[in-house]
């Protein structure tokens, strides 16, 4: 019996494996990963400093424990060299393997800025637990005084989460972003301004409407030179400008790709018996047939369950539904469903502040239909009320008393 092979041992890969084992206890299952294979929650990487958690404390199950739980062969420290979609084989640094079905859960790569300067190679990014360990080690270096000066490039979701977490840990944070406000791609202006004010109150310094051009050594310090002529002297530079789907294996296997690996409603790629999910995938949205990158937890869990059923012989479509993105910024907690870019260009935000001080912003498209929202602070009740109002005309209102 040929095995099911899953490439990648992050949340996406492990979700498929767990869900598959609920349905099929005996089919051989091989998981291949370049890392150590321990299970951890990746979203925790951007808010673990204030909790005082080191890298090993974030790992809840070792590779050995995961292999035992899943009755799987877990190949750690193993590089995948290529995939032959026709012969249905995977070539790895540990040998070649045939597969019955294959799942790509290879995640995303950090975007490289192309910075100049003799210290450009000192810029860090955190996309993996090993990156987090290196980042903590740099912060805890003997020559770093407290607070450590940390400059974050990018004031999007990850940059703002790191800024809040690190500032809450007592460090001196500077945020740099080409937009004129933080979370510009996701949040209504009023909520962006609220978040910025909350982070400033925590001691975060902003340089907005500009970008870093060079990073140079200045004695024991680093100097970040900005396009607007300003400079920032710092101990550490962290790039949080975003991620892009990892398409290297997909391209080598000649799979259809756009921004991500194109998958149909069951998660299958352009090649029979090869599936993809998570940060590397470009999903087909059921309501309108559009394709979207969905680098969030809820779509991973939904896709993992559906693909597992399909792998077990029950063809199942991924039942994608709108789900708020929860921004882990305790200074100003946010729940957001941003409008699609093509809709955002023709609609507008309408905001209100309730008697309890809750800020609610609703986005209405050109036809007056609610197509997105943001709220701070938030709880499950208010999120569900706002979700129910999506697709409704402007007359629909959220009942604040329900929260």
């Amino acid at each position: 019996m040929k095995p099911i092979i899953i490439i990648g041992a992050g949340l996406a890969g492990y979700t498929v494996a767990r869900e598959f084992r609920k349905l099929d206890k005996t089919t051989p299952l091989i998981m291949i990963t370049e890392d150590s294979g321990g299970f951890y929650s990746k979203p925790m990487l951007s808010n673990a400093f204030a909790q005082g958690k080191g890298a090993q404390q974030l790992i809840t199950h070792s590779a050995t424990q995961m292999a035992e739980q899943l009755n799987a062969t877990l190949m750690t420290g193993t590089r995948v060299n290529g995939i032959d979609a026709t012969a249905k084989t995977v070539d790895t640094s540990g040998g070649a393997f045939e597969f019955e079905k294959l799942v790509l859960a290879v995640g995303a790569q950090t975007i490289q800025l192309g910075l100049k300067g003799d210290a450009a190679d000192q810029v860090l990014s955190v996309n993996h637990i090993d990156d987090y360990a290196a980042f903590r080690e740099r912060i805890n270096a003997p020559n770093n005084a407290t607070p450590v000066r940390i400059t974050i490039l990018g004031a999007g979701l990850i940059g703002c989460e790191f800024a809040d977490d690190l500032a809450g840990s007592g460090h001196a944070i500077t945020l740099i972003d080409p937009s004129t406000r933080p979370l510009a791609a996701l949040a209504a202006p009023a909520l962006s301004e609220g978040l910025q004010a909350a982070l400033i109150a925590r001691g975060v310094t902003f340089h907005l409407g500009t970008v870093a051009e060079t990073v140079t050594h200045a004695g024991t310090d680093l100097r970040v030179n900005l396009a607007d002529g300003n400079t920032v002297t710092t101990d550490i530079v962290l790039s949080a400008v975003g991620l892009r789907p990892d398409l290297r294996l997909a391209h080598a296997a000649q799979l259809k790709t756009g921004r991500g690996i194109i998958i149909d409603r069951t998660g299958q790629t352009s090649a029979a018996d090869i599936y993809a999910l998570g940060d590397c995938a470009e999903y087909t949205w059921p309501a309108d047939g559009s394709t979207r990158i969905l680098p969030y937890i809820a779509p991973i869990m939904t896709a993992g369950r559906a693909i597992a059923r399909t792998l077990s012989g029950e063809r199942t479509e991924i039942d994608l539904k709108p789900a708020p993105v929860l921004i882990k910024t305790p200074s100003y907690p946010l729940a957001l469903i941003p409008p699609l870019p093509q809709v955002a260009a023709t609609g507008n935000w309408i905001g209100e502040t309730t008697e309890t001080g809750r800020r609610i912003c609703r986005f209405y498209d050109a036809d007056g239909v609610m197509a997105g929202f943001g709220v701070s602070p938030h709880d499950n009740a208010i999120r569900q009320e706002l979700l129910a109002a999506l697709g409704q005309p402007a007359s629909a209102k959220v009942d604040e008393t329900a929260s």
Side-chain angles (χ1 to χ4, degrees):
M1 185 184 298
K2 294 179 183 178
I4 303 289
I5 295 181
I6 300 173
I7 302 175
L11 178 63
Y14 275 134
T15 297
V16 173
R18 282 171 164 161
E19 295 297 324
F20 179 70
R21 274 295 179 242
K22 292 177 183 178
L23 305 168
D24 184 320
K25 308 294 186 185
T26 59
T27 295
L29 179 62
I30 297 174
M31 299 189 70
I32 304 171
T33 179
E34 285 194 66
D35 62 26
S36 60
F39 181 80
Y40 65 97
S41 173
K42 187 175 178 180
M44 287 288 294
L45 297 180
S46 60
N47 70 338
F49 280 91
Q51 300 175 30
K53 290 188 176 181
Q56 291 306 308
Q57 292 172 292
L58 295 178
I59 297 175
T60 57
H61 296 86
S62 69
T64 300
Q65 290 171 324
M66 294 304 296
E68 291 175 351
Q69 286 181 17
L70 298 169
N71 184 26
T73 298
L74 183 50
M75 300 176 61
T76 61
T78 303
R79 183 183 67 257
V80 177
N81 299 317
I83 299 164
D84 187 325
T86 303
K88 299 177 73 170
T89 59
V90 175
D91 177 45
T92 80
S93 58
F97 302 89
E98 292 185 303
F99 62 83
E100 183 65 29
K101 293 181 174 65
L102 176 69
V103 179
L104 298 176
V106 294
Q109 296 177 293
T110 54
I111 294 172
Q112 301 301 312
L113 287 172
L115 293 166
K116 298 179 180 179
D118 62 10
D121 61 349
Q122 297 298 302
V123 176
L124 303 177
S125 60
V126 177
N127 186 38
H128 187 274
I129 198 161
D130 292 342
D131 301 331
Y132 174 78
F135 186 34
R136 281 192 69 93
E137 184 177 353
R138 183 78 68 87
I139 287 176
N140 295 329
N143 61 332
N144 282 338
T146 301
V148 176
R149 298 164 298 175
I150 303 171
T151 298
I152 301 175
L153 309 180
L157 186 155
I158 300 300
C160 288
E161 289 185 348
F162 267 116
D164 204 356
D165 189 51
L166 291 163
S169 303
H171 300 298
I173 308 303
T174 299
L175 263 177
I176 300 168
D177 196 274
S179 299
T180 56
R181 55 189 176 88
L183 282 183
L186 295 176
L191 293 173
S192 289
E193 292 162 5
L195 175 61
Q196 184 175 351
L199 290 176
I200 289 173
R202 270 212 150 175
V204 175
T205 299
F206 283 85
H207 287 275
L208 299 174
T210 190
V211 296
E213 292 188 328
T214 65
V215 182
T216 57
H217 288 286
T220 59
D221 299 328
L222 298 176
R223 181 169 295 150
V224 182
N225 300 290
L226 307 182
D228 63 5
N230 286 308
T231 61
V232 177
T233 302
T234 190
D235 299 303
I236 297 171
V237 181
L238 176 68
S239 177
V241 296
L243 304 171
R244 60 167 54 98
D246 188 343
L247 304 180
R248 291 172 295 180
L249 288 177
H251 286 159
Q254 299 183 324
L255 303 180
K256 184 179 179 181
T257 62
R259 289 178 301 153
I261 303 171
I262 301 293
I263 57 175
D264 67 13
R265 293 186 179 178
T266 68
Q268 184 170 270
T269 69
S270 57
D273 297 325
I274 299 180
Y275 300 80
L277 79 161
D279 293 3
C280 67
E282 189 167 344
Y283 296 83
T284 300
W285 195 254
D288 57 14
S290 63
T291 59
R292 307 179 188 181
I293 303 294
L294 299 170
Y296 308 116
I297 300 299
I300 287 175
M301 303 302 289
T302 301
R305 287 189 288 268
I307 290 172
R309 286 192 172 276
T310 298
L311 294 176
S312 68
E314 180 185 345
R315 185 184 184 279
T316 303
E317 293 190 354
I318 303 171
D319 186 20
L320 294 171
K321 291 183 172 66
V325 180
L326 306 184
I327 312 298
K328 300 187 298 299
T329 45
S331 297
Y332 197 78
L334 287 155
L336 308 170
I337 288 189
L340 293 174
Q342 60 268 32
V343 176
T346 58
N348 64 291
W349 287 100
I350 302 223
E352 65 171 301
T353 302
T354 69
E355 293 179 357
T356 63
R358 192 190 309 274
R359 185 68 176 170
I360 301 172
C361 294
R362 303 172 179 84
F363 185 88
Y364 294 99
D365 66 17
D367 297 321
V369 173
M370 185 171 154
F373 66 78
V375 56
S376 181
H378 61 88
D379 56 28
N380 185 62
I382 198 72
R383 295 195 301 269
Q384 293 305 314
E385 290 283 346
L386 286 163
L387 278 170
L390 283 175
Q392 301 300 314
S395 59
K397 288 289 184 180
V398 169
D399 182 3
E400 168 67 9
T401 61
S403 64

